[in-house]
Amino acid sequence: MMAQRVSRIKHVVTVIFILLLLWGCAYQTEISFQTLVTGLPNMVSLLNEMFPPDWEYFGSITEPMLATIRMAVLGTTFGAMIAIPVALFSSSNVVKIPFIYHVSRFLMNLVRTIPELLLAALFVPIFGIGEIAGILAITVFSFGIIAKLLYEAIEAIDNGPLEAMTAVGANKVQWIFFGVVPQVVASFISYFLYSFEINVRAAAILGYVGAGGIGLVLSNALSFFQYDRVSTIIIYTFLVVLIIDIVSNRIREKLL
């Protein structure tokens, strides 16, 4: 009976804490439903300006959209390539030296704390406006995601085959290629596709800081108040991302 009361008190305290946290965040960010209601006519006016879309503009934004997809493909691929050795060095069942896998995990976690938009903002002044900065930003971001997921998959593998290979005198390279890789290759491809899905969406936004692609076109359209073209870009981006998500999900379902 006492345990039930303590459990109820914990639940009540948790709910109160969450409500206070939400209230405090709303208060500090100055959320106002009155402002939201007051701004509704402006939102309706903006939507009226966005529709109907400029359908003839579709042909003009195909190349920037393809550039966005290329950025996502290259960035995800480069990030995945870098993630493989780091994930291996981060796995305690592959590397037995604590110093090495702790340093590797720290590097991986450090990279994961930096968002793509900030990475692009850092690379644009160095490499100039264009797709190179976007590709590098996506590469670093993809590396953080894939390395984290892959190292967790490696640590969850069955150690039986590894012990058997060690018993027959297999070296470290054989141990990895024939004992580790076959157990995680399906998961790795799944993580690659998942990261690619995220990066296609992110690449569409990186243009705001000069990283090229459809985001740069969207930024220009907004700057010149061409809202009919803005709606065209949004619809085009939505369709492309939807198709990529569907294809990627089908591939992941067959793998897993």
Side-chain angles (χ1 to χ4, degrees):
M1 192 67 177
M2 181 63 68
Q4 291 180 350
R5 289 181 179 178
V6 172
S7 179
R8 289 176 183 173
I9 292 173
K10 286 182 178 179
H11 290 157
V12 171
V13 171
T14 301
V15 171
I16 293 174
F17 174 75
I18 293 174
L19 292 175
L20 289 174
L21 181 63
L22 292 173
W23 175 83
C25 292
Y27 178 78
Q28 290 296 326
T29 52
E30 299 181 355
I31 288 179
S32 172
F33 288 102
Q34 181 180 357
T35 305
L36 177 63
V37 173
T38 305
L40 284 177
N42 295 331
M43 295 172 62
V44 174
S45 176
L46 178 62
L47 290 174
N48 288 333
E49 294 183 37
M50 292 177 67
F51 291 94
D54 183 1
W55 299 114
E56 296 180 358
Y57 194 54
F58 261 94
S60 302
I61 58 176
T62 297
E63 178 55 34
M65 180 59 71
L66 292 176
T68 297
I69 296 173
R70 289 195 296 267
M71 287 166 54
V73 170
L74 292 174
T76 307
T77 302
F78 295 151
M81 292 169 60
I82 301 172
I84 293 173
V86 175
L88 289 170
F89 281 118
S90 300
S91 305
S92 58
N93 57 342
V94 175
V95 177
K96 304 297 183 180
I97 304 173
F99 174 77
I100 294 178
Y101 63 73
H102 281 309
V103 170
S104 183
R105 291 178 189 179
F106 174 77
L107 173 64
M108 179 177 56
N109 292 328
L110 181 64
V111 171
R112 288 174 58 243
T113 61
I114 308 175
E116 279 174 309
L117 198 60
L118 179 56
L119 289 169
L122 294 174
F123 286 130
V124 165
I126 300 173
F127 299 97
I129 295 175
E131 298 173 22
I132 297 298
I135 292 171
L136 291 174
I138 293 173
T139 297
V140 176
F141 184 77
S142 301
F143 156 73
I145 293 178
I146 297 175
K148 171 69 173 178
L149 295 173
L150 184 59
Y151 115 79
E152 290 179 348
I154 293 174
E155 290 211 321
I157 64 175
D158 181 11
N159 288 322
L162 307 181
E163 295 173 355
M165 292 181 65
T166 302
V168 297
N171 59 40
K172 199 70 172 182
V173 175
Q174 294 172 328
W175 197 71
I176 292 173
F177 272 95
F178 299 105
V180 177
V181 172
Q183 297 191 63
V184 299
V185 63
S187 297
F188 172 75
I189 297 174
S190 177
Y191 301 149
F192 176 89
L193 293 172
Y194 171 70
S195 181
F196 175 65
E197 292 175 22
I198 296 174
N199 290 332
V200 171
R201 299 184 186 94
I205 305 299
L206 295 182
Y208 275 97
V209 293
I214 196 67
L216 186 59
V217 179
L218 177 60
S219 177
N220 292 335
L222 286 170
S223 299
F224 289 102
F225 306 106
Q226 298 170 327
Y227 295 117
D228 55 340
R229 292 187 174 186
V230 170
S231 61
T232 304
I233 295 170
I234 292 173
I235 293 172
Y236 201 156
T237 304
F238 170 77
L239 292 175
V240 169
V241 170
L242 182 63
I243 292 171
I244 290 174
D245 281 355
I246 292 173
V247 174
S248 178
N249 287 334
R250 294 287 177 84
I251 296 174
R252 286 209 306 269
E253 287 173 1
K254 290 183 179 181
L255 289 172
L256 302 175

